[in-house]
Amino acid sequence: MSGSAFRELDLHPALLKNLDALGYTAMTAIQSRSLPPMLAGSDLIGQARTGSGKTAAFGLALLQKLDVRRFRIQSLVLCPTRELADQVAAEIRRLGQQLHNIKVLTLCGGAPIGPQIGSLEHGAHIIVGTPGRVEDHLRRRTLALGDVNMLVLDEADRMLEMGFQESLEAIFAQLPVERQTLMFSATFGGDVKVTAERIMQDPVHVEVEAVHADSRIEEHFYRVADDGERLTVLRLLLQQIRPTSALVFCATRRDVDEVAAALGRHDFSALPLHGDMEQKDRDRTLVRFANNS
């Protein structure tokens, strides 16, 4: 069913109109296989990797179910990182921009909690956040989840690997039993499987292999005999290829800092990005990279 048109689905006319405006016509594999059961109200486990179109899949499902006339929190999307939560929230806003007055609020760690409390006081339809910060709001009683009818766990395996199990359990305890639960994960085993069995009701399981077109990705391997020459090889390759933007992965955080500094000394616009940096500095770097600035 991959490649089927969104118009074959029973979606709200405003959503279909917006999909046309965005240039979303044919569905990806995960969308064509997961959207029908999600729209039918079934719990669903989707095994798909980043770039498969899963965000649009569950975004359309929760927007279709949303009653915009009820200014209550009806959907909760949990993500492992603030960066992913911001991306998911932005995509949901894009998908729902033809629907009247939808409010999507992000609740993530690394940001001041005061403004989030103020935003919650004014209400929202959809919450997208990280488990730790959502749990924090529940403890402070600044967030109520009694009206949630759809829970989405995005990249569930990463959330569990990052140690969010206790936060997730605290959140599950505050959610209505009668709800639709959607779980998306690159892997399905161990803790992910145990969690799914406890919080889901007879879920549909959809697995989609990651497929990349040969025309889109080229791989080249360069053997460097002397480790001391690797930076020179990297610099020369960048000068030859002249990419609009590039990601350079290093083995350690120290290597990241050293490579970024060395490239900077050769007039490359290079910035480090790793877990030892403050959240605001990581966010600023990602925004600059996304904007080619």
Side-chain angles (χ1 to χ4, degrees), residues 212-279:
H212 296 289
D214 291 338
S215 60
R216 293 183 57 192
I217 296 178
E218 290 185 9
E219 297 182 1
H220 301 268
F221 175 77
Y222 299 88
R223 184 184 297 278
V224 182
D226 184 354
D227 282 352
E229 296 297 316
R230 282 188 300 170
L231 188 58
T232 300
V233 172
L234 171 63
R235 175 171 55 83
L236 293 174
L237 281 172
L238 290 173
Q239 289 174 336
Q240 178 183 348
I241 299 171
R242 296 185 178 276
T244 303
S245 59
L247 285 170
V248 179
F249 291 92
C250 303
T252 67
R253 296 169 185 178
R254 180 179 178 180
D255 289 343
V256 169
D257 288 330
E258 291 178 352
V259 169
L263 289 175
R265 289 193 295 271
H266 287 88
D267 297 325
F268 288 95
S269 178
L271 290 173
L273 181 66
H274 55 67
D276 278 350
M277 297 168 57
E278 293 289 334
Q279 183 68 52

Side-chain angles (χ1 to χ4, degrees), residues 44-74:
L44 181 132
I45 298 167
Q47 276 187 258
R49 298 186 180 276
T50 301
S52 62
K54 60 184 173 64
T55 303
F58 67 70
L60 287 170
L62 66 84
L63 288 169
Q64 176 71 16
K65 192 169 186 174
L66 191 69
D67 184 353
V68 295
R69 297 166 299 180
R70 295 183 64 243
F71 201 53
R72 297 285 189 274
I73 298 170
Q74 300 171 47

Side-chain angles (χ1 to χ4, degrees), residues 10 23 30 39 116 144 165 180 190-191 194 263 283-284 287 289:
D10 186 21
I30 189 64
L39 294 176
Q116 294 178 359
Q165 182 71 57
Q180 184 178 7
D191 292 339
V194 171
L263 289 175
D283 288 345
R284 187 181 301 113
V287 169
F289 183 73

